[in-house]
Amino acid sequence: DPTHVRHYSVDFLDVVANGFLSYPKPKYKVSFKEIRFSGLLFTWPGWLISRMSRRKYEKYFAWIFPASSITVKASVLK
């Protein structure tokens, strides 16, 4: 979406859960991360690149082959 000001990556919740929200101890544990693609013919290169290296996909190719969604599941630590 060209109107977005900030773009989030799959690892964003790791940074938030273990950094900003972790004082004095971690409160969340990330258990699942996934990048999903729409299944259209022109998105398969993005899927393949993300399977080989998620960091390279997000840094260099996410603008060319956009994902349809990012799913991150976290559980609360007590």
Side-chain angles (χ1 to χ4, degrees), residues 11-68:
D11 297 324
F12 174 73
L13 193 58
D14 286 334
V15 174
V16 171
N18 295 324
F20 300 114
L21 301 177
S22 68
Y23 181 78
K25 62 180 186 170
K27 295 178 176 64
Y28 301 95
K29 179 182 177 188
V30 177
S31 59
F32 178 77
K33 296 186 261 184
E34 180 182 45
I35 300 174
R36 292 187 182 183
F37 292 86
S38 63
L40 297 175
L41 185 60
F42 61 88
T43 61
W44 72 266
W47 175 84
L48 183 62
I49 295 166
S50 72
R51 297 292 178 203
M52 292 189 304
S53 174
R54 188 172 61 216
R55 287 191 186 269
K56 283 188 180 179
Y57 166 75
E58 289 183 340
K59 188 171 184 178
Y60 301 112
F61 297 102
W63 318 117
I64 301 169
F65 307 110
S68 61

